[in-house]
Amino acid sequence: MLQEMPAWAKLMTLGRGRFIKRLGAAEYRDIRSVFRESRLLDTPPSVEDVKWWDALTSRVRLNTSEVQVARSREAERLTLEKERLQLQNWGIDRVPSWIAIDDNTVGYDILSYRPAGNSVATHLIEVKSTVASPMRFILTRNEWDVADQVGDAYSFHIWDMTKAAPILHTRTVEQVRPHVPNDNANGKWKDVEIKL
């Protein structure tokens, strides 16, 4: 299972009981049987079984994280390439920078440029990738703080990675603003899921 990492393995991170419930479809009957026959669903679970489940779910989380990072980097690369071509089309003799490779804390991923009258202005781009349905992305507080501060010189590139040729959806700061929560009393938001 660890070598193949089937799609259903991600469900294991939900917990043993929820994992088995989510495998309720007839197509997963054999998988459920393997777990039952291996006595990995006994109640109460043995100490060894708990260790086994914990080790496996940790590995699944790590693998999922690696896949997400690779997908995110691919989306960033797509934006970088798109920006290079756009700058050429505008006749701007500058090259966009892949900032996220060197510093993942600045609140944007790509530093690019836009025409500004007779000069050139910097433009910051936060890149997101998604395979979720409905399409959505996670916005961090740091990303929003930078976006809110920069305004029109900031945009979001959200890549739908479910397509053979990923599809780009762009959003401005003002388009995202209505979906950003407010802090209240002793509560302060850190991350928000935004649907496209």
Side-chain angles (χ1 to χ4, degrees):
M1 186 174 70
L2 287 176
Q3 289 176 350
E4 296 296 321
M5 201 57 76
W8 53 262
K10 287 188 251 179
L11 297 173
M12 297 181 85
T13 62
L14 299 174
R16 186 178 76 158
R18 295 234 11 221
F19 165 65
I20 291 301
K21 285 180 185 175
R22 294 289 293 269
L23 293 180
E27 65 189 280
Y28 297 120
R29 186 176 302 134
D30 291 342
I31 297 167
R32 286 192 312 272
S33 294
V34 168
F35 283 95
R36 281 194 183 93
E37 290 174 21
S38 299
R39 303 196 61 167
L40 289 167
L41 302 177
D42 286 356
T43 302
S46 69
V47 171
E48 292 80 22
D49 290 349
V50 170
K51 287 180 182 177
W52 185 87
W53 281 100
D54 287 346
L56 192 61
T57 56
S58 292
R59 182 69 183 272
V60 169
R61 283 187 184 104
L62 177 62
N63 186 4
T64 301
S65 179
E66 289 173 353
V67 168
Q68 289 171 341
V69 167
R71 189 174 59 238
S72 295
R73 292 300 191 203
E74 175 61 11
E76 291 169 0
R77 188 196 65 73
L78 289 168
T79 287
L80 196 63
E81 184 57 31
K82 181 188 178 316
E83 287 297 307
R84 280 188 189 127
L85 293 173
Q86 186 64 59
L87 293 174
Q88 286 176 0
N89 289 340
W90 284 330
I92 296 175
D93 189 24
R94 298 207 184 167
V95 178
S97 301
W98 198 343
I99 301 300
I101 293 293
D102 294 321
D103 189 346
N104 206 25
T105 67
V106 295
Y108 61 94
D109 298 311
I110 306 293
L111 169 64
S112 192
Y113 305 92
R114 296 290 182 265
N118 293 331
S119 62
V120 175
T122 60
H123 190 80
L124 311 180
I125 303 170
E126 176 58 31
V127 181
K128 301 292 184 180
S129 67
T130 185
V131 294
S133 178
M135 285 183 27
R136 56 192 178 268
F137 66 95
I138 303 297
L139 176 66
T140 69
R141 180 62 179 256
N142 182 49
E143 292 161 356
W144 178 249
D145 286 345
V146 173
D148 188 38
Q149 196 173 50
V150 174
D152 290 341
Y154 190 106
S155 61
F156 298 90
H157 280 196
I158 304 105
W159 289 93
D160 179 356
M161 304 299 276
T162 63
K163 311 300 183 212
I167 297 173
L168 174 62
H169 300 268
T170 59
R171 296 292 184 270
T172 65
V173 171
E174 292 310 312
Q175 289 172 316
V176 172
R177 185 178 305 284
H179 310 288
V180 176
N182 294 315
D183 295 336
N184 291 299
N186 292 331
K188 185 173 181 175
W189 72 274
K190 291 175 68 176
D191 300 310
V192 62
E193 180 181 274
I194 299 176
K195 292 180 182 174
L196 288 174

